[in-house]
């Protein structure tokens, strides 16, 4: 789809999404005293970095980057994260769920329990430590129904909680970033993008992404209807059978709850074609943690999740 303005310029839908996201990033920089951009090394935050480059280069970003590390990440993603940050020359803050466990603020029910939901605690501790008043994230409305409810500038109270029934109005492109001491905002510049938009933008901007997004042969197990990678954190159990399949990852979260999908898409163009034909959302197809209950994500967001 393309749009003509004043009969001179033609913008396609990616141009419009890009312009909106750059406007939002500049609003955060203009309205907030201590913002931070959450960067995990995943495709959505990679797009955010590209948008920040377009919004603020040739200067430095007006905010640091931050990753809340579960310690259960795919090695390829952490390697990419560090490589990309060094390439940009920006500051990266890493705060670890492992440190929250050591402080006793996170208590696991068992050593095997997924640490994904516990990132909320570590994130809120980091927000308090640095006094951040806005956390810029790569969440999108098409990922999951709780995320579809959330506004672009999402208010969080002094306890880091989100109340879906008490959100601020967003009329046209007017955003209200005023917060009281202790409160903060979560801001989602690519909230209106879809998974397909993200991959089309990655193709258009020729952005590098971690290798696990592309199809590759990998030993996996079928568990709860999903394909989990066999790793020291997700070992083969007695009643399970290992398979060596061509798979790729649509999301790159905590290894213990992130599944692969069968695929032969070994290029961005093939991923775009596969995504266009997909009938299940990326989180529905790949995340064990979102399948716990119908409202699993909404409950985590109320507790302070991304």
């Amino acid at each position: 789809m393309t749009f003509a303005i004043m009969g001179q310029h033609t913008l396609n839908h990616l141009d419009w999404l890009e312009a909106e996201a750059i406007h939002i990033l500049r609003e955060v920089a203009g309205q907030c005293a201590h913002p931070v951009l959450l960067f995990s090394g995943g495709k959505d935050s990679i797009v955010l970095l590209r948008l920040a480059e377009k919004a603020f280069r040739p200067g430095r970003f007006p905010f640091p980057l931050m990753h809340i590390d579960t310690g259960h990440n795919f090695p390829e993603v952490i390697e990419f994260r560090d490589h990309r940050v060094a390439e940009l020359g920006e500051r990266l803050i890493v705060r670890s769920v492992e440190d929250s466990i050591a402080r006793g603020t996170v208590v696991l029910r068992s050593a095997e329990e997924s640490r994904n939901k516990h990132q909320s605690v570590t994130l809120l501790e980091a927000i308090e430590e640095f006094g951040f008043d806005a956390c810029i994230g790569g969440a999108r409305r098409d990922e999951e129904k709780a995320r579809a409810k959330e506004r672009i500038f999402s208010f969080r109270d002094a306890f880091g909680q989100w109340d879906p029934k008490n959100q601020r109005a967003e009329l046209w492109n007017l955003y209200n970033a005023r917060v009281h001491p202790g409160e903060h905002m979560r801001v989602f510049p690519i909230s209106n993008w879809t998974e397909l938009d993200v991959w089309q933008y990655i193709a258009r901007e020729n952005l590098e992404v971690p290798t696990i997004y592309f199809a590759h042969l990998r030993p996996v197990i079928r568990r709860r209807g999903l394909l989990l990678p066999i790793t020291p954190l997700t070992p083969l159990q007695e009643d399970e059978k290992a398979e060596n399949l061509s798979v790729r990852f649509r999301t790159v979260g905590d290894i213990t709850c992130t599944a692969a999908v069968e695929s032969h898409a070994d290029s961005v163009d093939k991923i775009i074609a596969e995504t266009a034909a997909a009938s299940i959302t990326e989180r529905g197809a790949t995340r064990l943690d979102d399948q716990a209950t119908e409202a699993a994500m909404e409950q985590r967001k109320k507790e302070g999740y991304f």
Side-chain angles (χ1 to χ4, degrees):
M1 181 180 296
T2 58
F3 305 87
I5 293 180
M6 301 295 289
Q8 296 181 358
H9 305 290
T10 300
L11 302 181
N12 62 32
H13 79 288
L14 288 181
D15 295 325
W16 282 99
L17 290 171
E18 178 188 73
E20 179 190 55
I22 289 172
H23 168 71
I24 292 166
L25 286 169
R26 289 174 174 165
E27 282 291 301
V28 173
Q31 293 195 49
C32 301
H34 301 292
V36 65
L37 189 150
L38 303 173
F39 178 59
S40 64
K43 64 183 185 306
D44 300 314
S45 55
I46 290 168
V47 166
L48 279 184
L49 289 190
R50 180 59 173 159
L51 293 165
E53 284 187 280
K54 292 200 173 188
F56 304 114
R57 288 293 194 239
R60 295 284 301 274
F61 294 170
F63 36 67
L65 312 178
M66 183 165 74
H67 182 213
I68 303 301
D69 189 346
T70 63
H72 290 171
N73 301 286
F74 290 91
E76 301 96 323
V77 178
I78 295 301
E79 182 181 340
F80 175 86
R81 179 199 71 184
D82 294 340
H83 151 71
R84 186 70 184 117
V85 170
E87 193 173 59
L88 287 168
E90 297 291 342
R91 176 191 176 202
L92 174 68
I93 298 167
V94 178
R95 287 295 178 268
S96 168
V97 175
E98 189 71 44
D99 291 338
S100 298
I101 295 172
R103 284 191 291 269
T105 50
V106 167
V107 179
L108 301 178
R109 288 175 296 182
S110 68
E112 293 76 31
E113 182 185 358
S114 172
R115 298 178 177 183
N116 197 46
K117 70 175 184 180
H118 298 297
Q119 290 180 97
S120 306
V121 175
T122 309
L123 174 62
L124 294 177
E125 289 173 345
I127 290 170
E128 183 177 5
E129 176 186 353
F130 292 97
F132 293 131
D133 58 355
C135 295
I136 306 164
R140 308 187 321 270
R141 288 195 170 111
D142 78 322
E143 290 182 80
E144 202 276 339
K145 54 191 174 186
R147 290 187 166 175
K149 290 183 183 179
E150 196 158 14
R151 302 280 165 79
I152 290 175
F153 276 55
S154 181
F155 173 76
R156 303 301 175 100
D157 67 17
F159 300 98
Q161 298 176 114
W162 171 61
D163 180 359
K165 296 178 181 176
N166 186 27
Q167 301 187 83
R168 293 177 176 177
E170 288 183 348
L171 303 176
W172 301 286
N173 58 353
L174 301 176
Y175 304 108
N176 180 358
R178 291 183 181 178
V179 294
H180 296 295
E183 299 172 341
H184 68 277
M185 311 289 296
R186 306 291 172 85
V187 183
F188 305 111
I190 63 169
S191 184
N192 290 330
W193 297 43
T194 66
E195 182 185 13
L196 184 59
D197 295 329
V198 167
W199 280 110
Q200 289 176 330
Y201 194 73
I202 287 169
R204 189 182 88 168
E205 300 294 314
N206 194 27
L207 301 181
E208 184 183 1
V209 297
T211 55
I212 66 170
Y213 278 119
F214 300 107
H216 54 285
L217 283 176
R218 194 178 195 112
V220 295
I221 46 179
R222 297 183 188 273
R223 188 176 295 171
R224 292 166 54 184
L226 299 178
L227 294 174
L228 279 186
I230 298 177
T231 71
L233 295 168
T234 50
L236 187 68
Q237 297 179 359
E238 282 188 10
D239 58 343
E240 293 176 330
K241 178 183 175 184
E243 299 178 67
N244 203 35
L245 299 178
S246 177
V247 299
R248 71 177 184 87
F249 291 85
R250 290 174 69 182
T251 62
V252 294
D254 188 302
I255 289 175
T256 61
C257 61
T258 303
V261 295
E262 287 194 73
S263 172
H264 294 284
D266 56 4
S267 68
V268 172
D269 286 343
K270 291 179 182 177
I271 290 174
I272 290 172
E274 192 173 88
T275 303
S279 59
I280 302 176
T281 65
E282 63 195 271
R283 295 193 73 92
T286 65
R287 299 303 291 261
L288 285 173
D289 50 340
D290 289 347
Q291 297 181 0
T293 68
E294 277 283 306
M297 173 61 84
E298 181 159 330
Q299 186 58 40
R300 287 205 303 277
K301 290 184 79 66
K302 287 179 180 177
E303 294 168 355
Y305 195 67
F306 303 96

